[in-house]
Amino acid sequence: MFKSGNCQADFMDCITFYDTIDKLGIVYQSIFGQWLPNSEFDPDDRDCLEFCMNNPFEDPEGKAKVDLYIPIKARD
């Protein structure tokens, strides 16, 4: 459903989502409820960014490709 990019302290992790748009909320729940608590990072105070890379209505599978940028910082 999603693939995590490279993490760097005090940076943003890029996660590529490719699925139906109704599952995007599940990805955020997974990131903030499972991945971040089990990583060496904490969420930063900056806003998350979403970049839609396609039109799901024109996608052969009806899926959205979204690049998510999650602000992170090194855990204290």
Side-chain angles (χ1 to χ4, degrees), residues 10-21:
D10 298 325
F11 202 65
M12 288 194 167
D13 187 28
C14 178
I15 296 166
T16 299
F17 167 84
Y18 182 69
D19 209 327
T20 55
I21 200 71

Side-chain angles (χ1 to χ4, degrees), residues 3-50:
K3 180 177 82 168
S4 178
N6 293 329
C7 298
Q8 297 178 14
D10 298 325
F11 202 65
M12 288 194 167
D13 187 28
C14 178
I15 296 166
T16 299
F17 167 84
Y18 182 69
D19 209 327
T20 55
I21 200 71
D22 61 312
K23 295 183 181 157
L24 189 56
I26 296 169
V27 172
Y28 277 106
Q29 290 174 347
S30 296
I31 292 167
F32 287 97
Q34 295 173 1
W35 179 76
L36 270 173
N38 293 306
S39 74
E40 67 235 32
F41 301 102
D42 283 324
D44 199 351
D45 294 334
R46 297 170 288 161
D47 293 330
C48 296
L49 300 173
E50 296 179 6

Side-chain angles (χ1 to χ4, degrees), residues 53-66:
M53 306 306 287
N54 74 341
N55 182 345
F57 296 109
E58 295 175 358
D59 186 81
E61 298 179 52
K63 294 181 178 180
K65 182 176 181 184
V66 181

